[in-house]
Amino acid sequence: MPLDAHQIESIVSGPLRDQLASVDIVSLSVREDVDHDGDPILRIKVTFKDDGKQLQASKVKGLIRHLRTALALQNEARFPVLSFQVENEPDGEPSEAA
């Protein structure tokens, strides 16, 4: 049985917080989706505090590797796709009411 969004959040939270220690993460959200080829993926949105701190590119570029390792240890094969957002920034996704 595939892991649910809450389980995925628990798995990826540690590596995300470790690798992105230069920013204050406010929230994480996970959404199951499919890519353009129809393969299942995990859309992971990381929201961080708008306090002038910046993501370190050297940490971001290796982040997928850390997430895939953590997910693989739990037999989760779906590929993580990351997006980043500053707190209180519109996310560009359609609202439930639309």
Side-chain angles (χ1 to χ4, degrees):
M1 174 184 253
L3 300 172
D4 66 29
H6 294 294
Q7 291 169 312
I8 299 292
E9 285 178 28
S10 294
I11 293 166
V12 301
S13 177
L16 283 169
R17 292 183 191 286
D18 289 346
Q19 294 301 309
L20 303 178
S22 65
V23 296
D24 295 318
I25 296 175
V26 176
S27 67
L28 301 173
S29 66
V30 174
R31 183 171 54 92
E32 299 175 12
D33 202 356
V34 293
D35 65 13
H36 295 291
D37 294 324
D39 295 324
I41 60 172
L42 298 168
R43 293 202 181 273
I44 302 172
K45 182 173 20 174
V46 181
T47 304
F48 55 95
K49 189 177 269 190
D50 185 11
D51 58 4
K53 297 177 183 174
Q54 295 185 358
L55 293 172
Q56 294 178 345
S58 62
K59 296 290 186 176
V60 173
K61 72 180 182 181
L63 197 49
I64 294 295
R65 176 175 44 87
H66 292 284
L67 297 181
R68 294 215 44 189
T69 299
L71 290 166
L73 290 172
Q74 301 299 319
N75 297 314
E76 178 56 68
R78 291 175 286 184
F79 192 86
V81 176
L82 292 170
S83 63
F84 300 96
Q85 177 178 347
V86 175
E87 186 178 33
N88 300 320
E89 175 182 48
D91 64 9
E93 294 183 13
S95 67
E96 297 286 330

